[in-house]
Amino acid sequence: MIADETPILDNHLHLDPDANRGIDAVRDFARVGGTHLLVVNKPSWHLGVEAVAGEDFRPVFERTIEIVDEASAELDGRAWPVLGVHPGLISRLVDDRGYAPEEAREIMRGGIDVAAEYVERGDALALKSGRPHYDVDEAVWDASNAVMRRAFERAAEIDCAVQLHAEASEDMTAVTDWAEAAGLPAHRVVKHYAGGRLEGPIPSVMSEKARLEVAAERGDPFLMETDYIDDPDRPGAVLGPKTVPRRVSWLLENGHDEAVRNAHVETPELVYGIDTEATLAPGDR
């Protein structure tokens, strides 16, 4: 049983602001005890935006902020937007639309700059960036790393965290070395879709029992996520919105109270500077 005073945060999921389940998914999350969400904007092309410049991302960010406001109204806690450019966009730009990797890099850097504007004025919590998790040629890889490093630079300037979409790994210290060189502490870099063991960034652990057991037993800072994609054409993809609260119940049943506090109170404060307890108005569970 989850106590009313226990915050439950899903660190990374997507909501479609115009179609699919949207706010109904938030209600599912809240109904089983979820209280806080970090909502990452969907890939720009999924919302019908084929960017040719940084300014073209603005409607994607604004629609995400709008649905996050709606989501907060459904929660005992609140939701925050995480804005940025999906690293898979580089393949769409280069392979499908004929841009050179250097041109794609500049479009994506422009999107990061626009996202940073929203964070700087308090309309979003953090930035999203990364690099492809699949094989690409050297020029695309280099361009992707340059985009990610721009995100670190901007995050350092405006004092926010960066969520990364990147390849599977248990050691990404080289990436956090880049962040620290830009002035961004390693604990402000989060690897989304992580396993329970990771050196370098803070792992945002996919909420599967085996991964969570590893994270809980290690005792290092970690977050929990579903990467819910809100896409009815891919109903079996990643995890559903009820998963994090259900996994919190499972962790508590198995004596991992400290791990729950780590993932839902201490690490959110460490990474994002948010207080999930102070922003919680307990309801009936």
Side-chain angles (χ1 to χ4, degrees):
M1 181 68 176
I2 302 170
D4 280 355
E5 65 272 15
T6 303
I8 298 177
L9 169 74
D10 188 331
N11 181 67
H12 185 110
L13 86 166
H14 306 275
L15 297 173
D16 193 310
D18 299 309
N20 308 328
R21 298 206 63 225
I23 294 301
D24 284 341
V26 178
R27 294 185 180 118
D28 282 351
F29 172 75
R31 195 173 296 121
V32 292
T35 62
H36 294 77
L37 294 171
L38 265 61
V39 180
V40 183
N41 62 266
K42 295 192 80 170
S44 49
W45 63 97
H46 287 190
L47 298 182
V49 172
E50 297 290 358
V52 299
E55 282 296 315
D56 295 337
F57 293 92
R58 203 172 291 277
V60 174
F61 301 153
E62 291 180 353
R63 288 296 293 122
T64 303
I65 291 167
E66 288 172 3
I67 198 168
V68 168
D69 288 342
E70 294 176 39
S72 286
E74 301 291 335
L75 298 171
D76 288 342
R78 61 162 295 180
W80 291 270
V82 175
L83 304 181
V85 180
H86 193 287
L89 177 61
I90 197 163
S91 297
R92 189 171 182 88
L93 289 169
V94 172
D95 297 341
D96 298 345
R97 296 174 57 194
Y99 285 91
E102 297 76 14
E103 294 172 320
R105 177 194 67 205
E106 293 310 303
I107 293 169
M108 295 171 71
R109 279 176 165 177
I112 294 293
D113 289 343
V114 172
E117 293 178 20
Y118 289 92
V119 176
E120 187 170 25
R121 65 174 178 249
D123 293 332
L125 181 66
L127 296 176
K128 173 194 175 174
S129 188
R131 61 192 183 191
H133 64 275
Y134 47 87
D135 290 338
V136 294
D137 65 34
E138 186 175 356
V140 168
W141 185 250
D142 290 346
S144 298
N145 280 323
V147 174
M148 181 169 60
R149 294 178 81 156
R150 172 65 68 87
F152 294 153
E153 292 165 2
R154 295 311 313 273
E157 290 169 4
I158 61 179
D159 190 23
C160 77
V162 178
Q163 285 198 16
L164 296 181
H165 176 115
E167 72 278 6
S169 176
E170 291 189 350
D171 188 345
M172 297 188 73
T173 51
V175 170
T176 48
D177 286 347
W178 288 347
E180 291 187 319
L184 185 69
H187 69 264
R188 299 283 257 169
V189 181
V190 177
K191 168 65 170 67
H192 128 78
Y193 211 109
R197 180 180 292 105
L198 179 63
E199 301 300 325
I202 300 291
S204 182
V205 179
M206 282 294 289
S207 295
E208 297 160 349
K209 290 181 179 179
R211 298 188 191 213
L212 291 174
E213 281 183 322
V214 172
E217 289 167 5
R218 290 189 80 207
D220 292 338
F222 77 101
L223 297 154
M224 291 172 60
E225 69 166 79
T226 57
D227 192 25
Y228 176 67
I229 61 173
D230 200 5
D231 184 348
D233 294 331
R234 299 173 62 198
V238 289
L239 301 174
K242 298 178 182 178
T243 307
V244 167
R246 287 175 171 171
R247 293 293 185 262
V248 166
S249 292
W250 173 78
L251 285 167
L252 293 172
E253 288 165 6
N254 286 275
H256 291 302
D257 300 55
E258 290 184 7
V260 169
R261 183 166 183 82
N262 181 357
H264 299 276
V265 178
E266 295 167 357
T267 304
E269 170 68 28
L270 172 70
V271 174
Y272 303 109
I274 57 176
D275 189 333
T276 56
E277 292 180 312
T279 51
L280 178 61
D284 296 327
R285 287 190 175 144

